[in-house]
Amino acid sequence: MGYIVMIFIAIALIAALKWKAAIVIGVFIVICYFLGKKDNKNNDGLIDKKDVEEEKPEKIMIPQGLEEIEYYGGYNKGISNKLFLENRSNGICLYDKANNLKILILKRNIINFSMVGDYNRDSIVSGGKLEGGDFSLWGSIKGKMLYGDIGELIYARKKYTNSPIKTEVNVTDTRKIILKFKENEEEKGMILDKSVWEHLCFLCPEKKIK
């Protein structure tokens, strides 16, 4: 409909201004045609991929040689059970390689930390049992034939054997660290590997709960 109106306007201008205006109007119509065609393509959903492509998050850099620790839960964000621990002068930093996540816990934001669970070391002694000494009919006959009555008494008893003594140590360690801290003015918590205990004691011993 819009093109029909433009054609009537062009005819009216040509009639009024004659051939000089015809050239200008012709160029104008051609430009409008191509602009309208481009708009129609955009309206039909032909959009540049660059406009809709989501930007990929930048991959975090994990320093080499960090200690790997276990994470058992407590945090509100979904993170893997394997984290890398970095000690810093102002706190600790946890790296989650699987989820491309870094969690920085500053010393001033740590509320407290404590250890729960038990550590048991049990020693089990086995062996050292004296075996043998039972009656042996074949030994009795053999002793009687070789040495008479005395031989019968000696060979009638089986030899004694003594099994070696063995000591086994069973260790049961269920210790875990509960770390409480502030994040965005909200109290958070994590249950971490027991190996974090020494790092936290060095960083902020005054916040340790015995």
Side-chain angles (χ1 to χ4, degrees):
M1 185 68 181
Y3 291 114
I4 296 174
V5 174
M6 291 177 61
I7 292 172
F8 279 111
I9 294 173
I11 294 172
L13 290 173
I14 292 172
L17 301 176
K18 298 184 179 180
W19 66 271
K20 292 182 180 180
I23 298 175
V24 177
I25 293 171
V27 173
F28 175 74
I29 292 174
V30 172
I31 294 173
C32 290
Y33 171 77
F34 283 106
L35 289 176
K37 188 175 181 181
K38 183 178 180 181
D39 291 338
N40 289 334
K41 285 185 178 181
N42 289 334
N43 292 332
D44 291 338
L46 300 177
I47 304 174
D48 193 350
K49 292 182 179 180
K50 294 181 180 179
D51 296 334
V52 296
E53 185 178 359
E54 295 183 359
E55 293 185 2
K56 294 182 179 179
E58 185 178 353
K59 188 175 181 180
I60 61 172
M61 300 299 295
I62 301 178
Q64 296 292 328
L66 295 184
E67 179 183 358
E68 187 178 41
I69 64 171
E70 294 279 348
Y71 164 75
Y72 299 101
Y75 196 51
N76 61 340
K77 295 181 180 178
I79 56 179
S80 64
N81 60 347
K82 297 290 185 181
L83 303 176
F84 291 95
L85 171 66
E86 180 186 17
N87 288 308
R88 298 186 179 184
S89 59
N90 62 341
I92 61 172
C93 190
L94 302 173
Y95 295 90
D96 183 358
K97 185 177 181 180
N99 295 303
N100 195 38
L101 183 65
K102 179 175 70 173
I103 304 171
L104 177 61
I105 304 175
L106 298 176
K107 177 181 177 180
R108 66 172 181 267
N109 292 333
I110 294 177
I111 300 172
N112 57 56
F113 62 95
S114 59
M115 181 181 291
V116 296
D118 299 312
Y119 176 81
N120 295 316
R121 184 183 177 92
D122 301 322
S123 297
I124 301 175
V125 180
S126 61
K129 184 178 180 180
L130 188 64
E131 298 177 347
D134 298 332
F135 177 77
S136 173
L137 178 60
W138 169 246
S140 175
I141 296 172
K142 181 180 178 181
K144 179 73 173 178
M145 293 174 61
L146 294 175
Y147 303 105
D149 293 339
I150 297 176
E152 181 182 3
L153 293 174
I154 295 174
Y155 282 86
R157 293 290 179 182
K158 294 180 180 178
K159 292 183 179 180
Y160 287 95
T161 58
N162 189 8
S163 59
I165 298 175
K166 297 180 180 179
T167 303
E168 297 179 358
V169 179
N170 289 336
V171 176
T172 304
D173 192 352
T174 60
R175 294 175 298 172
K176 296 178 178 63
I177 306 303
I178 298 178
L179 174 62
K180 294 182 179 180
F181 57 95
K182 285 186 178 181
E183 184 182 75
N184 298 326
E185 301 303 322
E186 294 184 7
E187 184 174 326
K188 305 290 184 179
M190 281 187 178
I191 304 175
L192 299 170
D193 196 317
K194 61 182 180 296
S195 61
V196 183
W197 179 259
E198 293 183 2
H199 302 295
L200 293 174
C201 287
F202 181 80
L203 177 66
C204 49
E206 70 279 3
K207 298 183 180 182
K208 175 177 62 177
I209 298 178
K210 296 182 180 179

